[in-house]
Amino acid sequence: MNRIVTMVLKNTFLVPGAWGKLCRYAKHPEKYEEKEMYGFIRDILLRGIRSGNIHILSSGQENLPKEGGFMLYGNHQGMFDPLAVVATCQRPLGVVMKKELYNIPFIHQVALCTKSFAMDREDVRQSLTVIQQVTTEVKKGRAYLIFPEGTRSRLGNEMVDFHSGSFRCALRSKCPIVPIALIDCFKVLDQQGSAPVSVQIHYLKPIPWEEYKDLATTEIAALVKSRIAEKIQAVTAE
């Protein structure tokens, strides 16, 4: 966790003002433009990423739809994953996260500003409610990020099983699915110290609703996982 300490210490003079502004946004997000809040959050993240000696190589941003709602599904390697996505995605998005993370300071404020949702996978009814909330927001034209593995893989760049229920949001909202391949993101917080580290994030070609509308959620999960696995294998084999 020394990297986080380094990120904070290098920006000590900015923390009070930035924290105060973030809290103001989070207290009344309805008073502010989404792009304004999201842009501020990205500025904080980008500054922290640079201070933490993290280099992000990203590709495929042209695959992100310019208009309308869509879903992003990525492999999950650790807590840095959603930060890497927000840092490289200029279009505002919300995140579906584990309930354990929702009340952590900073994450909680960011969640309120981005209309993100906390999911309790042990509570079926609550999970279904979140799926419906996300579906409603995507139909309105917003973008959401879900990590269908549910919890981080502890196998480096290898994935574990995808939970098919995560794909109900896309199926119900009839929106494009953008798979995301995250590579080496686990190193950011798993490695000791704050030595320079490089990670990769690749936004893959969207899967339109017409391509998956007749598939079961288990089949959609398998399709998305195979696209991500193919990209990870191609990159790591180089």
Side-chain angles (χ1 to χ4, degrees), residues 34 93-95 110-117 137 140 142 144:
E34 183 179 38
L93 59 86
V95 181
V110 169
L112 292 173
C113 292
T114 57
K115 207 166 187 178
S116 296
F117 297 105
E137 292 299 318
K140 291 179 181 178
R142 302 193 72 243
Y144 273 86

Side-chain angles (χ1 to χ4, degrees), residues 81-117:
D81 299 346
L83 306 185
V85 175
V86 172
T88 55
C89 178
Q90 294 189 13
R91 182 169 169 184
L93 59 86
V95 181
V96 177
M97 65 186 73
K98 295 190 299 184
K99 66 169 186 173
E100 293 83 1
L101 300 177
Y102 189 76
N103 289 319
I104 296 176
F106 180 74
I107 294 179
H108 181 67
Q109 282 72 27
V110 169
L112 292 173
C113 292
T114 57
K115 207 166 187 178
S116 296
F117 297 105

